[in-house]
PDB file of all heavy atoms in Angstrom:
ATOM      1  N   GLY G 172     -85.035 -22.763   6.185  1.00 98.00           N
ATOM      2  CA  GLY G 172     -86.225 -22.438   6.975  1.00 98.00           C
ATOM      3  C   GLY G 172     -86.307 -20.968   7.356  1.00 98.00           C
ATOM      4  O   GLY G 172     -85.413 -20.170   7.057  1.00 98.00           O
ATOM      5  N   ASP G 173     -87.413 -20.630   8.046  1.00 97.00           N
ATOM      6  CA  ASP G 173     -87.755 -19.239   8.376  1.00 97.00           C
ATOM      7  C   ASP G 173     -86.681 -18.455   9.128  1.00 97.00           C
ATOM      8  O   ASP G 173     -86.683 -17.224   9.101  1.00 97.00           O
ATOM      9  CB  ASP G 173     -88.982 -19.214   9.304  1.00 97.00           C
ATOM     10  CG  ASP G 173     -90.243 -19.561   8.553  1.00 97.00           C
ATOM     11  OD1 ASP G 173     -90.129 -20.008   7.400  1.00 97.00           O
ATOM     12  OD2 ASP G 173     -91.320 -19.395   9.141  1.00 97.00           O
ATOM     13  N   ASP G 174     -85.845 -19.168   9.861  1.00 98.00           N
ATOM     14  CA  ASP G 174     -84.884 -18.463  10.721  1.00 98.00           C
ATOM     15  C   ASP G 174     -83.624 -18.015   9.986  1.00 98.00           C
ATOM     16  O   ASP G 174     -82.714 -17.454  10.596  1.00 98.00           O
ATOM     17  CB  ASP G 174     -84.460 -19.372  11.893  1.00 98.00           C
ATOM     18  CG  ASP G 174     -85.596 -19.522  12.888  1.00 98.00           C
ATOM     19  OD1 ASP G 174     -86.482 -18.638  12.915  1.00 98.00           O
ATOM     20  OD2 ASP G 174     -85.599 -20.531  13.615  1.00 98.00           O
ATOM     21  N   TYR G 175     -83.552 -18.251   8.689  1.00 98.00           N
ATOM     22  CA  TYR G 175     -82.266 -18.010   8.026  1.00 98.00           C
ATOM     23  C   TYR G 175     -81.844 -16.535   8.053  1.00 98.00           C
ATOM     24  O   TYR G 175     -80.658 -16.215   8.094  1.00 98.00           O
ATOM     25  CB  TYR G 175     -82.267 -18.561   6.582  1.00 98.00           C
ATOM     26  CG  TYR G 175     -82.809 -17.623   5.522  1.00 98.00           C
ATOM     27  CD1 TYR G 175     -81.971 -16.711   4.875  1.00 98.00           C
ATOM     28  CD2 TYR G 175     -84.151 -17.633   5.168  1.00 98.00           C
ATOM     29  CE1 TYR G 175     -82.467 -15.846   3.900  1.00 98.00           C
ATOM     30  CE2 TYR G 175     -84.647 -16.785   4.203  1.00 98.00           C
ATOM     31  CZ  TYR G 175     -83.809 -15.878   3.572  1.00 98.00           C
ATOM     32  OH  TYR G 175     -84.291 -15.027   2.619  1.00 98.00           O
ATOM     33  N   ILE G 176     -82.822 -15.633   8.095  1.00 98.00           N
ATOM     34  CA  ILE G 176     -82.457 -14.201   8.078  1.00 98.00           C
ATOM     35  C   ILE G 176     -81.799 -13.824   9.418  1.00 98.00           C
ATOM     36  O   ILE G 176     -80.732 -13.198   9.440  1.00 98.00           O
ATOM     37  CB  ILE G 176     -83.692 -13.318   7.792  1.00 98.00           C
ATOM     38  CG1 ILE G 176     -84.302 -13.734   6.442  1.00 98.00           C
ATOM     39  CG2 ILE G 176     -83.310 -11.841   7.794  1.00 98.00           C
ATOM     40  CD1 ILE G 176     -85.529 -12.949   6.035  1.00 98.00           C
ATOM     41  N   THR G 177     -82.434 -14.252  10.496  1.00 98.00           N
ATOM     42  CA  THR G 177     -81.842 -13.998  11.819  1.00 98.00           C
ATOM     43  C   THR G 177     -80.451 -14.628  11.891  1.00 98.00           C
ATOM     44  O   THR G 177     -79.498 -14.024  12.396  1.00 98.00           O
ATOM     45  CB  THR G 177     -82.750 -14.586  12.932  1.00 98.00           C
ATOM     46  OG1 THR G 177     -84.045 -14.024  12.775  1.00 98.00           O
ATOM     47  CG2 THR G 177     -82.213 -14.262  14.308  1.00 98.00           C
ATOM     48  N   GLU G 178     -80.344 -15.832  11.355  1.00 98.00           N
ATOM     49  CA  GLU G 178     -79.065 -16.543  11.374  1.00 98.00           C
ATOM     50  C   GLU G 178     -77.997 -15.781  10.572  1.00 98.00           C
ATOM     51  O   GLU G 178     -76.834 -15.695  10.985  1.00 98.00           O
ATOM     52  CB  GLU G 178     -79.284 -17.955  10.791  1.00 98.00           C
ATOM     53  CG  GLU G 178     -78.146 -18.915  11.010  1.00 98.00           C
ATOM     54  CD  GLU G 178     -77.650 -18.998  12.449  1.00 98.00           C
ATOM     55  OE1 GLU G 178     -78.445 -18.808  13.381  1.00 98.00           O
ATOM     56  OE2 GLU G 178     -76.433 -19.213  12.624  1.00 98.00           O
ATOM     57  N   ALA G 179     -78.413 -15.201   9.456  1.00 99.00           N
ATOM     58  CA  ALA G 179     -77.457 -14.431   8.636  1.00 99.00           C
ATOM     59  C   ALA G 179     -76.931 -13.237   9.437  1.00 99.00           C
ATOM     60  O   ALA G 179     -75.722 -12.944   9.427  1.00 99.00           O
ATOM     61  CB  ALA G 179     -78.143 -13.950   7.361  1.00 99.00           C
ATOM     62  N   PHE G 180     -77.807 -12.562  10.146  1.00 99.00           N
ATOM     63  CA  PHE G 180     -77.366 -11.419  10.950  1.00 99.00           C
ATOM     64  C   PHE G 180     -76.483 -11.880  12.108  1.00 99.00           C
ATOM     65  O   PHE G 180     -75.499 -11.218  12.448  1.00 99.00           O
ATOM     66  CB  PHE G 180     -78.577 -10.614  11.473  1.00 99.00           C
ATOM     67  CG  PHE G 180     -79.096  -9.631  10.464  1.00 99.00           C
ATOM     68  CD1 PHE G 180     -79.954 -10.034   9.445  1.00 99.00           C
ATOM     69  CD2 PHE G 180     -78.703  -8.301  10.492  1.00 99.00           C
ATOM     70  CE1 PHE G 180     -80.416  -9.138   8.488  1.00 99.00           C
ATOM     71  CE2 PHE G 180     -79.151  -7.393   9.549  1.00 99.00           C
ATOM     72  CZ  PHE G 180     -80.018  -7.809   8.540  1.00 99.00           C
ATOM     73  N   ARG G 181     -76.813 -13.048  12.688  1.00 98.00           N
ATOM     74  CA  ARG G 181     -75.982 -13.557  13.798  1.00 98.00           C
ATOM     75  C   ARG G 181     -74.563 -13.838  13.292  1.00 98.00           C
ATOM     76  O   ARG G 181     -73.574 -13.455  13.927  1.00 98.00           O
ATOM     77  CB  ARG G 181     -76.623 -14.825  14.370  1.00 98.00           C
ATOM     78  CG  ARG G 181     -75.942 -15.314  15.628  1.00 98.00           C
ATOM     79  CD  ARG G 181     -76.597 -16.564  16.205  1.00 98.00           C
ATOM     80  NE  ARG G 181     -77.799 -16.279  16.964  1.00 98.00           N
ATOM     81  CZ  ARG G 181     -79.022 -16.753  16.674  1.00 98.00           C
ATOM     82  NH1 ARG G 181     -79.187 -17.550  15.642  1.00 98.00           N
ATOM     83  NH2 ARG G 181     -80.074 -16.437  17.409  1.00 98.00           N
ATOM     84  N   LEU G 182     -74.472 -14.482  12.141  1.00 99.00           N
ATOM     85  CA  LEU G 182     -73.156 -14.796  11.576  1.00 99.00           C
ATOM     86  C   LEU G 182     -72.404 -13.511  11.191  1.00 99.00           C
ATOM     87  O   LEU G 182     -71.193 -13.390  11.413  1.00 99.00           O
ATOM     88  CB  LEU G 182     -73.316 -15.679  10.335  1.00 99.00           C
ATOM     89  CG  LEU G 182     -73.768 -17.126  10.593  1.00 99.00           C
ATOM     90  CD1 LEU G 182     -74.230 -17.772   9.287  1.00 99.00           C
ATOM     91  CD2 LEU G 182     -72.631 -17.937  11.212  1.00 99.00           C
ATOM     92  N   ALA G 183     -73.140 -12.556  10.633  1.00 98.00           N
ATOM     93  CA  ALA G 183     -72.505 -11.297  10.207  1.00 98.00           C
ATOM     94  C   ALA G 183     -72.011 -10.515  11.420  1.00 98.00           C
ATOM     95  O   ALA G 183     -70.935  -9.910  11.397  1.00 98.00           O
ATOM     96  CB  ALA G 183     -73.491 -10.465   9.396  1.00 98.00           C
ATOM     97  N   GLN G 184     -72.791 -10.556  12.470  1.00 98.00           N
ATOM     98  CA  GLN G 184     -72.406  -9.844  13.703  1.00 98.00           C
ATOM     99  C   GLN G 184     -71.109 -10.410  14.270  1.00 98.00           C
ATOM    100  O   GLN G 184     -70.234  -9.671  14.714  1.00 98.00           O
ATOM    101  CB  GLN G 184     -73.565  -9.981  14.690  1.00 98.00           C
ATOM    102  CG  GLN G 184     -73.264  -9.792  16.149  1.00 98.00           C
ATOM    103  CD  GLN G 184     -74.527 -10.029  16.985  1.00 98.00           C
ATOM    104  OE1 GLN G 184     -75.466  -9.245  16.947  1.00 98.00           O
ATOM    105  NE2 GLN G 184     -74.562 -11.109  17.715  1.00 98.00           N
ATOM    106  N   ARG G 185     -70.991 -11.733  14.201  1.00 98.00           N
ATOM    107  CA  ARG G 185     -69.755 -12.368  14.696  1.00 98.00           C
ATOM    108  C   ARG G 185     -68.572 -12.052  13.791  1.00 98.00           C
ATOM    109  O   ARG G 185     -67.483 -11.725  14.252  1.00 98.00           O
ATOM    110  CB  ARG G 185     -69.936 -13.890  14.731  1.00 98.00           C
ATOM    111  CG  ARG G 185     -70.424 -14.362  16.058  1.00 98.00           C
ATOM    112  CD  ARG G 185     -70.371 -15.892  16.140  1.00 98.00           C
ATOM    113  NE  ARG G 185     -71.564 -16.367  16.813  1.00 98.00           N
ATOM    114  CZ  ARG G 185     -72.355 -17.330  16.396  1.00 98.00           C
ATOM    115  NH1 ARG G 185     -72.070 -18.003  15.303  1.00 98.00           N
ATOM    116  NH2 ARG G 185     -73.428 -17.671  17.067  1.00 98.00           N
ATOM    117  N   ALA G 186     -68.797 -12.157  12.497  1.00 98.00           N
ATOM    118  CA  ALA G 186     -67.681 -11.998  11.549  1.00 98.00           C
ATOM    119  C   ALA G 186     -67.309 -10.533  11.344  1.00 98.00           C
ATOM    120  O   ALA G 186     -66.176 -10.218  11.017  1.00 98.00           O
ATOM    121  CB  ALA G 186     -68.059 -12.616  10.204  1.00 98.00           C
ATOM    122  N   SER G 187     -68.256  -9.640  11.536  1.00 98.00           N
ATOM    123  CA  SER G 187     -68.023  -8.232  11.186  1.00 98.00           C
ATOM    124  C   SER G 187     -68.534  -7.316  12.301  1.00 98.00           C
ATOM    125  O   SER G 187     -69.419  -6.497  12.090  1.00 98.00           O
ATOM    126  CB  SER G 187     -68.749  -7.952   9.859  1.00 98.00           C
ATOM    127  OG  SER G 187     -68.073  -6.998   9.087  1.00 98.00           O
ATOM    128  N   PRO G 188     -67.940  -7.464  13.491  1.00 98.00           N
ATOM    129  CA  PRO G 188     -68.453  -6.679  14.632  1.00 98.00           C
ATOM    130  C   PRO G 188     -68.276  -5.179  14.466  1.00 98.00           C
ATOM    131  O   PRO G 188     -68.990  -4.410  15.099  1.00 98.00           O
ATOM    132  CB  PRO G 188     -67.633  -7.208  15.827  1.00 98.00           C
ATOM    133  CG  PRO G 188     -66.419  -7.825  15.233  1.00 98.00           C
ATOM    134  CD  PRO G 188     -66.827  -8.347  13.889  1.00 98.00           C
ATOM    135  N   LYS G 189     -67.351  -4.766  13.595  1.00 98.00           N
ATOM    136  CA  LYS G 189     -67.084  -3.328  13.470  1.00 98.00           C
ATOM    137  C   LYS G 189     -67.847  -2.663  12.318  1.00 98.00           C
ATOM    138  O   LYS G 189     -67.654  -1.480  12.069  1.00 98.00           O
ATOM    139  CB  LYS G 189     -65.567  -3.103  13.306  1.00 98.00           C
ATOM    140  CG  LYS G 189     -64.780  -3.561  14.550  1.00 98.00           C
ATOM    141  CD  LYS G 189     -63.387  -2.970  14.613  1.00 98.00           C
ATOM    142  CE  LYS G 189     -62.372  -3.761  13.806  1.00 98.00           C
ATOM    143  NZ  LYS G 189     -62.116  -5.143  14.267  1.00 98.00           N
ATOM    144  N   SER G 190     -68.683  -3.415  11.611  1.00 98.00           N
ATOM    145  CA  SER G 190     -69.454  -2.811  10.523  1.00 98.00           C
ATOM    146  C   SER G 190     -70.939  -2.830  10.878  1.00 98.00           C
ATOM    147  O   SER G 190     -71.402  -3.734  11.573  1.00 98.00           O
ATOM    148  CB  SER G 190     -69.240  -3.599   9.220  1.00 98.00           C
ATOM    149  OG  SER G 190     -67.867  -3.637   8.891  1.00 98.00           O
ATOM    150  N   GLU G 191     -71.676  -1.824  10.397  1.00 98.00           N
ATOM    151  CA  GLU G 191     -73.110  -1.788  10.655  1.00 98.00           C
ATOM    152  C   GLU G 191     -73.821  -2.830   9.791  1.00 98.00           C
ATOM    153  O   GLU G 191     -73.358  -3.159   8.697  1.00 98.00           O
ATOM    154  CB  GLU G 191     -73.661  -0.385  10.382  1.00 98.00           C
ATOM    155  CG  GLU G 191     -73.054   0.644  11.311  1.00 98.00           C
ATOM    156  CD  GLU G 191     -73.827   1.954  11.363  1.00 98.00           C
ATOM    157  OE1 GLU G 191     -74.761   2.150  10.566  1.00 98.00           O
ATOM    158  OE2 GLU G 191     -73.486   2.778  12.242  1.00 98.00           O
ATOM    159  N   LEU G 192     -74.963  -3.309  10.281  1.00 99.00           N
ATOM    160  CA  LEU G 192     -75.666  -4.411   9.612  1.00 99.00           C
ATOM    161  C   LEU G 192     -77.094  -4.006   9.245  1.00 99.00           C
ATOM    162  O   LEU G 192     -77.866  -3.579  10.109  1.00 99.00           O
ATOM    163  CB  LEU G 192     -75.701  -5.638  10.544  1.00 99.00           C
ATOM    164  CG  LEU G 192     -74.352  -6.093  11.124  1.00 99.00           C
ATOM    165  CD1 LEU G 192     -74.542  -7.300  12.045  1.00 99.00           C
ATOM    166  CD2 LEU G 192     -73.341  -6.431  10.020  1.00 99.00           C
ATOM    167  N   TYR G 193     -77.424  -4.171   7.952  1.00 99.00           N
ATOM    168  CA  TYR G 193     -78.733  -3.706   7.470  1.00 99.00           C
ATOM    169  C   TYR G 193     -79.510  -4.798   6.743  1.00 99.00           C
ATOM    170  O   TYR G 193     -78.939  -5.696   6.129  1.00 99.00           O
ATOM    171  CB  TYR G 193     -78.554  -2.559   6.448  1.00 99.00           C
ATOM    172  CG  TYR G 193     -77.687  -1.414   6.887  1.00 99.00           C
ATOM    173  CD1 TYR G 193     -76.844  -0.777   5.962  1.00 99.00           C
ATOM    174  CD2 TYR G 193     -77.702  -0.943   8.200  1.00 99.00           C
ATOM    175  CE1 TYR G 193     -76.049   0.297   6.334  1.00 99.00           C
ATOM    176  CE2 TYR G 193     -76.900   0.133   8.578  1.00 99.00           C
ATOM    177  CZ  TYR G 193     -76.072   0.740   7.645  1.00 99.00           C
ATOM    178  OH  TYR G 193     -75.280   1.796   8.010  1.00 99.00           O
ATOM    179  N   TYR G 194     -80.840  -4.644   6.764  1.00 99.00           N
ATOM    180  CA  TYR G 194     -81.726  -5.385   5.866  1.00 99.00           C
ATOM    181  C   TYR G 194     -82.108  -4.445   4.727  1.00 99.00           C
ATOM    182  O   TYR G 194     -82.431  -3.281   4.966  1.00 99.00           O
ATOM    183  CB  TYR G 194     -82.989  -5.885   6.595  1.00 99.00           C
ATOM    184  CG  TYR G 194     -83.906  -6.573   5.611  1.00 99.00           C
ATOM    185  CD1 TYR G 194     -83.628  -7.871   5.193  1.00 99.00           C
ATOM    186  CD2 TYR G 194     -84.977  -5.902   5.024  1.00 99.00           C
ATOM    187  CE1 TYR G 194     -84.403  -8.485   4.220  1.00 99.00           C
ATOM    188  CE2 TYR G 194     -85.759  -6.509   4.049  1.00 99.00           C
ATOM    189  CZ  TYR G 194     -85.462  -7.802   3.652  1.00 99.00           C
ATOM    190  OH  TYR G 194     -86.219  -8.405   2.674  1.00 99.00           O
ATOM    191  N   ASN G 195     -82.104  -4.927   3.484  1.00 98.00           N
ATOM    192  CA  ASN G 195     -82.313  -4.062   2.320  1.00 98.00           C
ATOM    193  C   ASN G 195     -83.360  -4.680   1.378  1.00 98.00           C
ATOM    194  O   ASN G 195     -83.328  -5.880   1.104  1.00 98.00           O
ATOM    195  CB  ASN G 195     -80.966  -3.956   1.576  1.00 98.00           C
ATOM    196  CG  ASN G 195     -80.952  -2.881   0.515  1.00 98.00           C
ATOM    197  OD1 ASN G 195     -81.329  -1.740   0.774  1.00 98.00           O
ATOM    198  ND2 ASN G 195     -80.523  -3.223  -0.690  1.00 98.00           N
ATOM    199  N   ASP G 196     -84.293  -3.859   0.880  1.00 98.00           N
ATOM    200  CA  ASP G 196     -85.294  -4.394  -0.044  1.00 98.00           C
ATOM    201  C   ASP G 196     -85.882  -3.273  -0.893  1.00 98.00           C
ATOM    202  O   ASP G 196     -85.681  -2.089  -0.595  1.00 98.00           O
ATOM    203  CB  ASP G 196     -86.428  -5.096   0.733  1.00 98.00           C
ATOM    204  CG  ASP G 196     -86.982  -6.314  -0.003  1.00 98.00           C
ATOM    205  OD1 ASP G 196     -87.022  -6.304  -1.251  1.00 98.00           O
ATOM    206  OD2 ASP G 196     -87.370  -7.281   0.676  1.00 98.00           O
ATOM    207  N   TYR G 197     -86.582  -3.654  -1.972  1.00 98.00           N
ATOM    208  CA  TYR G 197     -87.340  -2.674  -2.759  1.00 98.00           C
ATOM    209  C   TYR G 197     -88.820  -2.813  -2.406  1.00 98.00           C
ATOM    210  O   TYR G 197     -89.267  -3.861  -1.941  1.00 98.00           O
ATOM    211  CB  TYR G 197     -87.106  -2.861  -4.259  1.00 98.00           C
ATOM    212  CG  TYR G 197     -87.514  -4.208  -4.808  1.00 98.00           C
ATOM    213  CD1 TYR G 197     -88.820  -4.467  -5.179  1.00 98.00           C
ATOM    214  CD2 TYR G 197     -86.579  -5.227  -4.932  1.00 98.00           C
ATOM    215  CE1 TYR G 197     -89.188  -5.703  -5.663  1.00 98.00           C
ATOM    216  CE2 TYR G 197     -86.938  -6.466  -5.414  1.00 98.00           C
ATOM    217  CZ  TYR G 197     -88.251  -6.702  -5.775  1.00 98.00           C
ATOM    218  OH  TYR G 197     -88.616  -7.929  -6.240  1.00 98.00           O
ATOM    219  N   ASN G 198     -89.557  -1.739  -2.601  1.00 98.00           N
ATOM    220  CA  ASN G 198     -91.003  -1.711  -2.301  1.00 98.00           C
ATOM    221  C   ASN G 198     -91.319  -1.967  -0.828  1.00 98.00           C
ATOM    222  O   ASN G 198     -92.486  -2.197  -0.500  1.00 98.00           O
ATOM    223  CB  ASN G 198     -91.782  -2.733  -3.146  1.00 98.00           C
ATOM    224  CG  ASN G 198     -91.964  -2.254  -4.576  1.00 98.00           C
ATOM    225  OD1 ASN G 198     -91.624  -1.113  -4.896  1.00 98.00           O
ATOM    226  ND2 ASN G 198     -92.504  -3.085  -5.440  1.00 98.00           N
ATOM    227  N   ASN G 199     -90.333  -1.936   0.047  1.00 98.00           N
ATOM    228  CA  ASN G 199     -90.645  -2.174   1.464  1.00 98.00           C
ATOM    229  C   ASN G 199     -91.165  -0.920   2.148  1.00 98.00           C
ATOM    230  O   ASN G 199     -91.285  -0.875   3.356  1.00 98.00           O
ATOM    231  CB  ASN G 199     -89.452  -2.779   2.227  1.00 98.00           C
ATOM    232  CG  ASN G 199     -88.177  -2.011   2.078  1.00 98.00           C
ATOM    233  OD1 ASN G 199     -88.028  -1.196   1.156  1.00 98.00           O
ATOM    234  ND2 ASN G 199     -87.228  -2.239   2.968  1.00 98.00           N
ATOM    235  N   GLU G 200     -91.506   0.093   1.316  1.00 98.00           N
ATOM    236  CA  GLU G 200     -92.287   1.215   1.841  1.00 98.00           C
ATOM    237  C   GLU G 200     -93.778   0.947   1.632  1.00 98.00           C
ATOM    238  O   GLU G 200     -94.616   1.634   2.198  1.00 98.00           O
ATOM    239  CB  GLU G 200     -91.875   2.544   1.173  1.00 98.00           C
ATOM    240  CG  GLU G 200     -92.405   2.766  -0.237  1.00 98.00           C
ATOM    241  CD  GLU G 200     -91.651   1.951  -1.292  1.00 98.00           C
ATOM    242  OE1 GLU G 200     -90.648   1.316  -0.943  1.00 98.00           O
ATOM    243  OE2 GLU G 200     -92.085   1.944  -2.475  1.00 98.00           O
ATOM    244  N   GLN G 201     -94.099  -0.054   0.806  1.00 98.00           N
ATOM    245  CA  GLN G 201     -95.508  -0.393   0.557  1.00 98.00           C
ATOM    246  C   GLN G 201     -96.063  -1.132   1.780  1.00 98.00           C
ATOM    247  O   GLN G 201     -95.374  -1.990   2.349  1.00 98.00           O
ATOM    248  CB  GLN G 201     -95.615  -1.290  -0.681  1.00 98.00           C
ATOM    249  CG  GLN G 201     -95.161  -0.608  -1.961  1.00 98.00           C
ATOM    250  CD  GLN G 201     -96.041   0.587  -2.327  1.00 98.00           C
ATOM    251  OE1 GLN G 201     -97.260   0.529  -2.214  1.00 98.00           O
ATOM    252  NE2 GLN G 201     -95.428   1.694  -2.709  1.00 98.00           N
ATOM    253  N   PRO G 202     -97.317  -0.823   2.201  1.00 98.00           N
ATOM    254  CA  PRO G 202     -97.812  -1.322   3.495  1.00 98.00           C
ATOM    255  C   PRO G 202     -97.637  -2.824   3.742  1.00 98.00           C
ATOM    256  O   PRO G 202     -97.138  -3.207   4.807  1.00 98.00           O
ATOM    257  CB  PRO G 202     -99.282  -0.908   3.484  1.00 98.00           C
ATOM    258  CG  PRO G 202     -99.303   0.324   2.616  1.00 98.00           C
ATOM    259  CD  PRO G 202     -98.256   0.115   1.566  1.00 98.00           C
ATOM    260  N   ALA G 203     -98.027  -3.671   2.793  1.00 98.00           N
ATOM    261  CA  ALA G 203     -97.965  -5.116   3.077  1.00 98.00           C
ATOM    262  C   ALA G 203     -96.520  -5.595   3.200  1.00 98.00           C
ATOM    263  O   ALA G 203     -96.159  -6.323   4.135  1.00 98.00           O
ATOM    264  CB  ALA G 203     -98.679  -5.885   1.968  1.00 98.00           C
TER     265      ALA G 203
END
Side-chain angles (χ1 to χ4, degrees):
D173 287 11
D174 288 337
Y175 86 88
I176 302 180
T177 304
E178 193 50 31
F180 277 82
R181 188 179 280 120
L182 289 165
Q184 159 183 290
R185 268 190 221 131
S187 212
K189 296 198 276 296
S190 302
E191 297 196 352
L192 308 179
Y193 308 143
Y194 177 78
N195 192 50
D196 215 326
Y197 60 84
N198 284 353
N199 52 342
E200 77 284 353
Q201 296 296 318

